Amino acid sequence: MARAECITTAVRELLSRGRQAKSTSPVRLAHIEFVAALAGNVPHPIYADIDSEDLDGRADHLEKVFEALHVYLSAIIADTAQNIQGGTLDRRYLDNLFRDLSADALGVIRNAAEEMREHENWRAL
């Protein structure tokens, strides 16, 4: 966690280039936090001799990316919705759409890891 805070601080300094930020809007802060979350969560490479642990690690990485992206998208959507007359932006629909996408993507990887684990266990016998 301390590493993420250091990265967040460094990203904020780079974005402001030593000056006070012109805006501390929720969208700007969400953007900074998203960039910091990505910088602090670098994926490990997968090599030719892939195993189920590699896939589990990739799913864990992607889950953290999706969590950070969800916070960022929520801020963007909320800000956009405030600036649209008549409230025509269906925030719940977009949120559910994102949750479905991330759950499906993670499910595919986790299922592949489970299938690989079964095959690894079968070969070990």
Side-chain angles (χ1 to χ4, degrees), residues 31-83:
H31 177 82
I32 292 168
E33 295 298 326
F34 179 61
V35 171
L38 289 179
N41 184 30
V42 178
H44 297 287
I46 293 180
Y47 300 104
D49 58 342
I50 186 172
D51 62 18
S52 60
E53 288 182 23
D54 291 326
L55 289 178
D56 286 330
R58 186 54 55 93
D60 292 342
H61 164 76
L62 191 56
E63 186 171 30
K64 291 175 185 173
V65 169
F66 279 138
E67 288 170 3
L69 181 57
H70 187 244
V71 171
Y72 179 60
L73 286 175
S74 295
I76 293 287
I77 291 168
D79 184 63
T80 304
Q82 287 178 353
N83 294 298

Side-chain angles (χ1 to χ4, degrees), residues 1-56:
M1 189 57 94
R3 180 178 172 180
E5 288 177 27
C6 290
I7 292 170
T8 301
T9 301
V11 169
R12 284 184 181 144
E13 288 174 4
L14 284 172
L15 288 175
S16 67
R17 294 190 178 107
R19 300 181 306 264
Q20 279 289 67
K22 292 180 183 177
S23 171
T24 56
S25 74
V27 172
R28 181 175 170 82
L29 293 174
H31 177 82
I32 292 168
E33 295 298 326
F34 179 61
V35 171
L38 289 179
N41 184 30
V42 178
H44 297 287
I46 293 180
Y47 300 104
D49 58 342
I50 186 172
D51 62 18
S52 60
E53 288 182 23
D54 291 326
L55 289 178
D56 286 330

Side-chain angles (χ1 to χ4, degrees), residues 14 40 43 69 90 95 109:
L14 284 172
L69 181 57
D90 189 346
D95 187 58
I109 296 171

Side-chain angles (χ1 to χ4, degrees), residues 74-123:
S74 295
I76 293 287
I77 291 168
D79 184 63
T80 304
Q82 287 178 353
N83 294 298
I84 294 177
Q85 292 181 357
T88 57
L89 185 62
D90 189 346
R91 293 163 60 176
R92 281 182 280 172
Y93 174 75
L94 293 173
D95 187 58
N96 289 336
L97 198 62
F98 179 80
R99 288 180 189 275
D100 289 346
L101 168 73
S102 58
D104 288 349
L106 291 170
V108 167
I109 296 171
R110 293 201 191 280
N111 287 341
E114 184 58 34
E115 288 178 21
M116 188 173 281
R117 198 169 0 271
E118 288 173 9
H119 183 71
E120 290 165 352
N121 291 339
W122 178 80
R123 285 184 10 188

